[in-house]
């Protein structure tokens, strides 16, 4: 007999679980998870619904591409597709406004390009672009875009290991004394170390200054590190005034020193020091044609933060407040630019900087955050190591729900981290331990904020193999990442992904060697992929479909789906005249539950052949559903009621349905929920009748 138990009720909101968890029924999320979720996504409250379809934006050349977004305002956004030597610019209304030549970008540079977009400006950064690039939109005509160098100002000179000119550090000592002073004794302090007193050897009015210079010089030479390179010379004077010159040259050349002098034997005399010349090493610009440029840029506390110049990959340059191009570190104002470097035990390369309340920096070996609440010129940044995980180059961390999400160096583990005010640290925790086979080999992360028919924010995960994963966070039910896969119809793959300023997902997709630009649409718009709008003529024919020649398409008319039709000569015959339609290709969704196993009262698990014989489901706004079990092919389940008006527009079904008589026996039986024809699908929950 079928055994229906309360614990077998599935809400399906934990997403697809790893294969290693099959049969581990003691797992808290076991009956909330799935063996396979393809084309459907978990709903945080309960159940699952269809992932969105896609709309065709335009065809694309078969070339490597990297895409980014420029958000001008809440109502105006552009998506930019960078290829070797050029960039395509598309407006949010799916219109390509311009193709701009960018000859500086080569195909080898594409994987490592980083972008910063704000207002009408897009910044492009790469270690080989020493001055970066700026693409500037004409605010009155978005068909006009100009390309130029990023307008850095006052790039600092630093020591990059070359042979540079050096200057001496020079100090003057001015002596004054009163009448009748019998002797002068002076002590010097250099870099915090104080010398023994040097004596003039008589009254200052009587001379002896040349010998006094040699005496002072010998006392300074006795200090650690100053045995050579210091000279003291007599600059002369008159009356009760005299000047000596202390010069740090030779091996001490090219550096500024802290120097002071004071009279130690009488209050009737004084020694005043002044800095006559500051010792410097000339250096060279931090970025240049020969040394390369910055790897990336972000914004923090109204400063531009430029990271990882090729000559010093652990360096971080911060612009003047409110002046994003000004890198003048010589300025003494409080809002001046500054130059930082991570001081690490090993050589590290800064990969990304993120504004997450604190400035968080990711390297190839660790994560750091600056614990200073504000960045001030006179206070050094206190870099605190958060962990020694590091992150993957090319996979920029993202912010979702106040937490940072980033991947490990090999792209195999996805972490989340937030600031713990108690321990005063960022604590990374892995979030893909329940789905590490589908959330792996990660190449790129993007966040799509809730909009339209979405039930929550989405974390889109693009894998190296072109598979696209959708992830959601369900904090209230202790589900750190519920994952499912967005299937590319016809077995295609995704090359890149971005989210525009209107929170819509743009894709570059390859199917059978043909590349397209597509945008995801929410389920109230279409469940098909690569959709185009059309109108049937008076005979019910749709023309202008030459891009679909030889392919099977479906046609959506007034919430009903017709097909599949094979496109021939750019047209299909629907036999429905004069109606607006959407034409696209389709990939069937799939939800397969976790395998059912028998658990004895003593918690022993018994594996033996069994079967799912029935299922009860609660559906919402559903037009099509098919049920299969025990490895058998799924069959369509009619949702029409006897009371339905077959003449009126088709309405979707909401309510309970029961499916019985499922056949087949197998080890680890499962229930499959899918479709054999497109239509809306929303399953709130289901209870399987299982015989084990």
């Amino acid at each position: 007999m079928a055994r229906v138990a309360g614990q077998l009720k599935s809400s399906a909101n934990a997403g697809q679980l790893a294969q290693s968890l099959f049969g581990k029924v003691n797992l808290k999320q076991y009956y909330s998870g799935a063996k396979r979720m393809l084309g459907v996504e978990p709903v945080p409250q309960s159940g699952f619904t269809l992932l969105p379809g896609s709309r065709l934006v335009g065809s694309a050349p078969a070339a490597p591409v990297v895409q980014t977004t420029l958000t001008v305002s809440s109502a105006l956004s552009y998506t930019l597709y960078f290829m070797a030597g050029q960039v395509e610019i598309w407006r949010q209304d799916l219109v390509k406004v311009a193709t701009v030549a960018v000859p500086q970008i080569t195909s080898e540079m594409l994987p490592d390009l980083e972008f910063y977009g704000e207002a009408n400006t897009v910044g492009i950064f790469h270690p080989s672009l020493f001055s970066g690039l700026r693409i500037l939109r004409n605010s009155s005509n978005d068909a006009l875009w100009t390309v130029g160098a990023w307008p850095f100002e006052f790039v600092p000179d630093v020591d990059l290991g070359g042979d540079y000119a050096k200057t001496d550090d020079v100090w003057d000592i001015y002596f004054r004394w009163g009448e009748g002073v019998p002797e002068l004794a002076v002590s010097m302090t250099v870099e915090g170390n104080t010398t023994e007193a040097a004596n003039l050897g008589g009254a200052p009015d009587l001379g002896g200054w040349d010998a006094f210079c040699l005496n002072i010089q010998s006392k300074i030479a006795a200090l650690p590190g100053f045995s050579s390179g210091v000279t003291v010379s007599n600059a002369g004077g008159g009356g009760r005034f005299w000047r000596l010159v202390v010069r740090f040259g030779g091996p001490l050349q090219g550096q500024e020193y802290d120097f002071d002098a004071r009279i130690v034997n009488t209050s009737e005399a004084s020694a005043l020091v002044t800095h006559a010349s500051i010792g410097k090493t000339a250096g060279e610009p931090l970025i240049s044609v020969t040394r390369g440029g910055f790897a990336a840029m972000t914004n923090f506390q109204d400063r531009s933060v430029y990271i990882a110049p090729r000559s010093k990959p652990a360096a971080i340059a911060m612009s003047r407040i409110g002046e994003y191009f000004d890198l003048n570190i010589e300025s003494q104002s409080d809002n001046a630019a500054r130059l930082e470097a991570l001081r690490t035990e090993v050589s590290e390369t800064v990969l990304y900087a993120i504004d997450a309340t604190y400035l968080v920096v990711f390297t190839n070996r660790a994560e750091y955050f600056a614990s200073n609440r504000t960045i001030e010129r006179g206070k050094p940044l206190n870099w605190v190591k958060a962990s020694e995980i590091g992150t993957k180059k090319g996979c920029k961390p993202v912010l979702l729900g106040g937490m940072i999400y980033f991947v490990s160096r090999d792209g195999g583990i996805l972490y989340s981290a937030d600031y713990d005010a108690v321990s005063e640290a960022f604590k990374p925790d892995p979030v893909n331990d329940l789905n590490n086979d589908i959330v792996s080999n990660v190449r790129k992360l993007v966040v799509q904020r809730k909009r339209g028919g979405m039930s929550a924010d989405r974390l889109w995960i693009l894998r190296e193999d072109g598979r696209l994963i959708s992830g959601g966070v369900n904090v209230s039910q202790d589900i750190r990442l519920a994952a499912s896969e967005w299937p590319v119809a016809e077995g295609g793959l995704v090359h890149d992904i971005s989210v525009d300023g209107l929170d819509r997902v743009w894709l570059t997709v390859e199917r059978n060697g043909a590349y397209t630009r597509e945008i995801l649409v929410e389920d109230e718009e279409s469940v098909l992929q690569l959709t185009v709008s059309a109108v049937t003529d008076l005979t019910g024919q749709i023309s202008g479909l030459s891009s679909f020649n030889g392919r099977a398409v479906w046609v959506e008319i007034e919430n009903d789906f017709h097909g599949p039709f094979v496109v021939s000569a750019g047209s299909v015959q629907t036999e429905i005249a004069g109606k607006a339609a959407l034409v696209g290709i389709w990939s069937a969704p799939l939800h397969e539950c976790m395998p059912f196993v028998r658990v004895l009262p003593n918690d022993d698990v018994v594996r033996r052949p069994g079967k799912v014989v029935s299922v009860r489901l609660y559906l919402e706004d559903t037009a099509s559903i098919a049920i299969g079990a025990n490895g058998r092919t799924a069959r369509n389940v009619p949702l029409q009621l006897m009371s339905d008006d077959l003449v009126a527009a088709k309405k979707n079904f909401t309510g309970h349905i029961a499916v019985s008589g499922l056949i087949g026996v197998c080890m680890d039986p499962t229930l499959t929920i899918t479709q054999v024809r497109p239509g809306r699908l929303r399953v709130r929950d289901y209870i399987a009748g299982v015989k084990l």
Side-chain angles (χ1 to χ4, degrees):
M1 296 293 293
R3 178 173 62 87
V4 180
Q7 70 267 25
L8 300 186
K9 180 177 180 179
S10 177
S11 62
N13 59 1
Q16 181 172 322
L17 303 184
Q19 184 176 353
S20 59
L21 302 178
F22 294 175
K24 295 188 177 181
V25 294
N26 57 342
L27 185 69
K28 178 181 178 181
Q29 294 89 356
Y30 190 83
Y31 288 110
S32 297
K35 180 179 179 180
R36 192 80 172 96
M37 292 194 77
L38 189 67
V40 295
E41 67 174 341
V43 175
Q45 295 77 18
S46 179
F48 59 88
T49 189
L50 292 175
L51 279 168
S54 69
R55 185 174 182 83
L56 175 64
V57 175
S59 60
V65 64
V66 176
Q67 58 194 77
T68 189
T69 295
L70 172 64
T71 301
V72 178
S73 67
S74 59
L76 181 59
S77 177
Y78 297 87
T79 297
L80 291 80
Y81 295 90
F82 286 86
M83 295 159 285
Q86 67 176 15
V87 55
E88 289 184 6
I89 304 172
W90 294 76
R91 204 167 50 217
Q92 86 277 354
D93 56 359
L94 314 188
V95 174
K96 183 166 73 171
V97 297
T99 298
V100 182
V102 191
Q104 299 91 331
I105 296 178
T106 64
S107 57
E108 293 77 15
M109 295 167 58
L110 285 175
D112 297 324
L113 289 181
E114 294 293 337
F115 308 98
Y116 180 82
E118 183 177 357
N120 293 311
T121 299
V122 177
I124 309 167
F125 299 92
H126 187 279
S128 297
L129 298 172
F130 87 92
S131 63
L133 291 174
R134 179 172 67 167
I135 298 181
L136 193 62
R137 168 183 173 266
N138 186 315
S139 58
S140 60
N141 184 358
D142 64 4
L144 299 177
W145 299 71
T146 56
V147 180
W150 193 257
F152 288 113
E153 297 176 354
F154 310 112
V155 174
D157 288 341
V158 295
D159 184 352
L160 298 179
D163 186 12
Y164 310 116
K166 298 181 179 181
T167 58
D168 295 343
D169 197 47
V170 182
W171 293 80
D172 290 337
I173 309 177
Y174 293 91
F175 292 94
R176 292 184 180 276
W177 60 90
E179 185 176 357
V181 172
E183 170 70 290
L184 287 182
V186 62
S187 69
M188 282 65 61
T189 301
V190 184
E191 294 293 291
N193 297 317
T194 302
T195 68
E196 294 181 355
N199 296 313
L200 177 61
D205 295 330
L206 301 179
W209 291 99
D210 290 335
F212 191 33
C213 290
L214 295 176
N215 195 1
I216 293 174
Q217 182 174 312
S218 67
K219 299 299 183 184
I220 296 175
L223 295 176
F226 294 91
S227 59
S228 63
V230 179
T231 58
V232 182
S233 58
N234 181 5
R240 295 188 177 91
F241 158 81
W242 213 270
R243 178 170 70 95
L244 304 183
V245 178
V246 181
R247 181 181 298 272
F248 296 86
L252 303 176
Q253 197 177 42
Q255 183 176 341
E256 181 181 0
Y257 297 92
D258 184 21
F259 179 79
D260 196 13
R262 62 189 182 92
I263 302 296
V264 296
N265 69 320
T266 178
S267 61
E268 297 298 321
S270 65
L272 175 66
V273 300
T274 62
H275 211 165
S277 176
I278 298 176
K280 291 182 179 179
T281 300
E284 61 180 296
L286 180 62
I287 56 174
S288 64
V289 175
T290 56
R291 295 291 189 177
F294 292 107
M297 173 201 164
T298 188
N299 194 282
F300 182 74
Q301 293 185 358
D302 206 24
R303 295 178 185 262
S304 290
V305 179
Y306 302 95
I307 64 171
R310 190 170 64 183
S311 55
K312 281 190 175 294
I316 303 169
M318 302 180 184
S319 76
R320 180 182 175 188
I321 294 177
E323 299 291 337
Y324 298 159
F325 314 116
D326 184 349
L327 298 180
N328 183 14
I329 62 175
E330 300 293 334
S331 172
Q332 300 300 308
S333 64
D334 292 337
N335 64 346
R338 55 188 299 163
L339 182 61
E340 294 285 330
L342 293 179
R343 292 164 179 84
T344 62
E345 297 177 358
V346 295
S347 177
E348 295 185 33
T349 299
V350 177
L351 299 178
Y352 302 103
I354 301 292
D355 181 359
T357 305
Y358 295 91
L359 181 62
V360 183
V361 170
F362 293 82
T363 76
N364 59 325
R365 301 182 66 91
E367 301 84 54
Y368 302 84
F369 72 96
S371 61
N372 311 57
R373 294 297 294 181
T374 57
I375 296 177
E376 302 175 57
R377 188 188 185 283
K379 295 182 180 180
L381 290 184
N382 180 32
W383 292 104
V384 180
K385 182 180 288 189
S387 78
E388 295 182 344
I389 297 171
T391 194
K392 183 177 181 178
K393 185 177 182 181
C395 188
K396 186 176 182 178
V398 297
L399 289 169
L400 174 61
M403 304 185 74
I404 305 173
Y405 286 81
F406 67 99
V407 297
S408 58
R409 281 173 282 177
D410 64 351
I413 303 178
L414 179 64
Y415 293 91
S416 68
D418 64 341
Y419 183 74
D420 187 340
V422 176
S423 60
E424 297 183 343
F426 280 87
K427 291 186 174 182
D429 292 310
V431 298
N432 66 329
D433 46 359
L434 296 182
N435 42 39
N436 53 23
D437 53 355
I438 185 174
V439 182
S440 63
N441 202 23
V442 178
R443 178 160 70 92
K444 188 173 184 179
L445 302 172
V446 296
V447 171
Q448 181 187 19
R449 310 294 176 184
K450 184 184 180 312
R451 68 180 299 273
M454 294 171 55
S455 56
D457 296 344
R458 293 190 186 111
L459 175 64
W460 289 100
I461 303 165
L462 178 59
R463 295 171 36 133
E464 293 284 1
D465 57 7
R467 294 170 65 184
L468 184 60
I469 310 302
S470 171
V473 179
N474 192 343
V475 178
S476 63
Q477 299 185 33
D478 196 27
I479 298 172
R480 291 183 290 180
L481 185 71
S484 59
E485 183 173 355
W486 190 81
V488 183
E490 299 181 347
L493 54 89
V494 178
H495 282 280
D496 206 0
I497 181 173
S498 61
V499 176
D500 67 12
L502 280 65
D503 295 310
R504 299 183 302 176
V505 177
W506 293 65
L507 303 173
T508 299
V509 182
E510 177 189 359
R511 296 183 180 87
N512 300 318
Y515 287 66
T516 54
R517 315 281 192 224
E518 299 176 35
I519 185 171
L520 296 191
V521 296
E522 296 310 311
D523 56 5
E524 67 267 17
E525 297 180 62
S526 179
V527 301
L528 303 176
Q529 294 183 25
L530 210 61
T531 57
V532 294
S533 297
V535 177
T536 61
D537 62 17
L538 296 180
T539 66
Q541 181 171 289
I542 299 176
S543 302
L545 304 178
S546 58
S547 61
F548 292 103
N549 276 340
R551 302 162 77 176
V553 299
W554 291 82
V555 179
E556 181 179 3
I557 300 175
E558 295 182 342
N559 193 34
D560 201 2
F561 290 83
H562 306 268
F565 305 107
V566 176
V567 180
S568 177
S571 63
V572 295
Q573 175 57 252
T574 67
E575 298 182 358
I576 301 175
K579 296 290 184 179
L582 285 175
V583 182
I585 58 179
W586 180 62
S587 178
L590 172 67
H591 169 86
E592 185 178 4
C593 73
M594 294 294 282
F596 293 108
V597 296
R598 185 170 184 182
V599 182
L600 299 179
N602 62 357
D603 291 335
D604 285 345
V605 175
V606 179
R607 292 190 71 247
R608 64 184 184 186
K611 62 179 179 177
V612 178
V613 297
S614 64
V615 62
R616 290 184 293 163
L617 309 97
Y618 187 85
L619 307 179
E620 296 179 356
D621 192 31
T622 296
S624 171
I625 188 171
I627 302 295
N630 313 315
R632 297 296 185 104
T633 302
R635 295 185 178 182
N636 189 62
V637 177
L639 299 177
Q640 290 80 15
L641 302 177
M642 294 293 292
S643 58
D644 287 348
D645 185 353
L646 300 181
V647 179
K650 182 178 179 180
K651 293 183 178 180
N652 295 339
F653 175 83
T654 297
H656 290 279
I657 66 168
V659 180
S660 59
L662 301 175
I663 62 175
V665 176
C666 64
M667 295 292 293
D668 302 325
T670 60
L671 175 73
T672 300
I673 302 174
T674 181
Q675 292 177 316
V676 296
R677 58 183 300 108
R680 274 55 175 184
L681 174 64
R682 163 77 164 93
V683 177
R684 189 188 69 182
D685 55 49
Y686 61 86
I687 301 176
V690 184
K691 184 177 182 181
L692 298 170

